[in-house]
Amino acid sequence: MAMPQSQQPNPAHPAPHNDSLSEDDRDQPLFKARDKVYPKRVSGYFRNLKWYALIALLGIYWVVPWLRWDRGPSAPDQAVLIDMDLGRAYFFFIEIWPQEVYYITGLLILAAIGLFLATSLFGRIWCGYGCPQTVWTDLFMLVERYIQGDRNARARLDKARWTFEKIWKIGATHLSWLVISAATGGAFVLYFNDAPTVLVDIFTGNASLSVYVTIASLTFSTYLLAGWAREQVCTYMCPWPRFQSAMLDDESMIVTYEGWRGEPRGPIKRRNLVRGEVPEVGHCIDCHACFNVCPTGIDIRDGLQLECIGCGLCIDACNEMMDKVGFPRDLVRFDSVQNTQLRAQGKATKISIIRPRTIFYSFLLILVTSVMAFGLMNRSTLEVSVLRDRNPLFVRLSDGDVRNGYTLKVLNKEQALKTYTLQISGLNATDFQVIGQTPNQDGTFALNVAPDRVGSFRVFIAANPAKLDGDTTPFEFSVTDTDDNVRETYDTVFAGPK
């Protein structure tokens, strides 16, 4: 049967995918515009902790490049330096060579395990106190609050028309942010160059292009992230909130709201100030103080949320209000979900630091630390590498012997001139010579290598092809430190005709 004309589809007006959706639902945008957050100033225990963390971390960042460490006349005296020209990383008494990059990998593994452990114990304590985004955003907000005023004043200023007052306050704020950002980028390049030297070069125009590009890039990124993006970095850019819940359990210490005591919330003007067994309203006076001080703009009374960085400023704000109305403090508190439930039932609470997951993370942390410490304490100060010539594989001499060429590299990791003895074993050589070196009476060679440097030597070895094992004959180079008899060997082969 043919479909009635009124029921036939019209190509010009295709049917919607879901007829159950209302017109308003279909018009909803896919991305919500940002609601600017105006954190209010607060004082208290957790705010003081954040100030201490900010001062300590910024002090470390800006002061460490200026610390000196005597390593001898042949090495830089900057305590922490990543020397890209020499290919070294200096951390006080530790020196990392390029082939020892696994120590850097070990540090990253330690940092990850430490973050897992800290999160399982205290929630997002890193995000709230140690993350660079948090530290620099706190500094930027401090400057902003000093110039523009507190929460209400900043909100009014943003909505006000452009006047001289608004222009100079906004301009002074952004200029201050740019100065801090430039100081941030400038301090970063000090870790890769001698700090006093490169600072003079920067201001005199003698620094390299890479230095200026790095400073400009970090200035822009710091200004953008700490000045404009702020809480959006924690909400949208940072991956940690997405899987932090895997590190938490009911005994992890996090910022919690005592709903059993605070609900039902209501204004102070209609509450019974004497709490009974069945109160008319709870202790939460719905003042929004916890929301107003939150740097990410969330309401902790809605429970633990992805945006919460665990800074605890809402605890300080709530305690301040509880003191004013005469109610017990810690309606919002730093505690575990388990303790909140126990307290609601009138039972004794406890803090459980030793748990299966914390034991596991602690074991991994100790294990990786021990392996790295053992490796650092027992690493050799001498390394040897040999590269055999491959074009040609061998050269036939006029007397019928064949000769191979090698490039020998000797790494002297000590801050002193070293003399090494070179010899070969496992090969019946007819000639053994090191270009530019005179052999000892026993046929060995004395090689001098400067402090903290790599000595490169050209070695030629000849042998009678009739006495070789085949087209390749294995043998070894042996390098011995004449001072302490530390010995390193390198296995290679001698190529000859088939």
Side-chain angles (χ1 to χ4, degrees), residues 216-444:
S217 300
L218 286 174
T219 298
F220 172 75
S221 61
T222 304
Y223 173 73
L224 175 65
L225 297 180
W228 291 90
R230 293 191 176 178
E231 77 284 349
Q232 296 190 100
V233 175
C234 306
T235 304
Y236 300 109
M237 295 177 62
C238 180
W240 183 242
R242 270 77 185 167
F243 54 85
Q244 63 163 331
S245 57
M247 311 297 158
L248 299 176
D249 55 31
D250 286 347
E251 296 177 288
S252 299
M253 303 292 288
I254 59 174
V255 179
T256 58
Y257 168 63
E258 304 272 73
W260 63 272
R261 179 160 76 92
E263 302 297 327
R265 69 189 73 158
I268 187 69
K269 62 183 180 180
R270 63 180 183 84
R271 83 175 39 254
N272 180 5
L273 295 181
V274 180
R275 179 179 174 81
E277 293 183 0
V278 185
E280 179 184 349
V281 286
H283 282 180
C284 177
I285 63 175
D286 205 19
C287 61
H288 297 286
C290 55
F291 168 78
N292 291 338
V293 302
C294 180
T296 59
I298 66 168
D299 192 335
I300 193 59
R301 296 174 297 177
D302 296 334
L304 182 63
Q305 299 156 65
L306 177 147
E307 298 88 349
C308 179
I309 61 174
C311 62
L313 296 184
C314 53
I315 301 176
D316 290 334
C318 185
N319 284 341
E320 185 177 333
M321 296 306 299
M322 292 296 100
D323 290 342
K324 289 181 179 179
V325 298
F327 286 167
R329 306 187 69 166
D330 294 330
L331 178 59
V332 180
R333 62 195 302 152
F334 197 71
D335 207 344
S336 66
V337 173
Q338 181 188 72
N339 281 347
T340 299
Q341 296 171 348
L342 291 173
R343 199 175 293 108
Q345 300 168 12
K347 298 180 181 179
T349 60
K350 61 179 180 178
I351 298 177
S352 301
I353 299 296
I354 302 176
R355 311 193 302 271
R357 70 174 60 218
T358 60
I359 294 174
F360 176 69
Y361 292 142
S362 299
F363 171 76
L364 286 181
L365 198 64
I366 294 173
L367 177 63
V368 176
T369 303
S370 301
V371 170
M372 289 186 60
F374 180 82
L376 281 172
M377 290 187 295
N378 292 277
R379 67 174 183 167
S380 174
T381 58
L382 166 65
E383 288 190 17
V384 176
S385 63
V386 178
L387 179 64
R388 184 171 63 84
D389 295 348
R390 297 186 178 274
N391 188 20
L393 289 176
F394 61 88
V395 175
R396 189 177 293 274
L397 303 178
S398 57
D399 59 1
D401 290 350
V402 292
R403 187 183 70 187
N404 284 195
Y406 302 86
T407 299
L408 170 71
K409 292 186 181 294
V410 180
L411 283 67
N412 175 17
K413 297 181 181 179
E414 296 192 42
Q415 301 297 331
L417 176 66
K418 285 290 184 177
T419 300
Y420 302 99
T421 300
L422 171 65
Q423 61 185 9
I424 59 174
S425 59
L427 178 69
N428 189 8
T430 58
D431 186 34
F432 173 36
Q433 55 180 299
V434 179
I435 302 303
Q437 305 292 326
T438 303
N440 298 325
Q441 293 182 352
D442 57 358
T444 62

Side-chain angles (χ1 to χ4, degrees), residues 154-170:
R154 297 199 305 276
R156 286 195 302 268
L157 186 67
D158 278 353
K159 295 177 182 178
R161 62 186 182 88
W162 286 95
T163 61
F164 175 76
E165 178 185 12
K166 182 172 181 177
I167 291 174
W168 86 258
K169 284 186 176 181
I170 297 294

Side-chain angles (χ1 to χ4, degrees), residues 8-19 26:
Q8 292 182 2
N10 186 351
H13 300 283
H17 293 292
N18 191 343
D19 291 336
R26 288 196 293 269

Side-chain angles (χ1 to χ4, degrees), residues 140-150 154 168-169 173 176:
F140 275 45
M141 286 194 297
L142 175 65
V143 172
E144 182 183 45
R145 188 179 297 116
Y146 179 78
I147 297 174
Q148 300 181 17
D150 206 355
R154 297 199 305 276
W168 86 258
K169 284 186 176 181
T173 300
S176 301

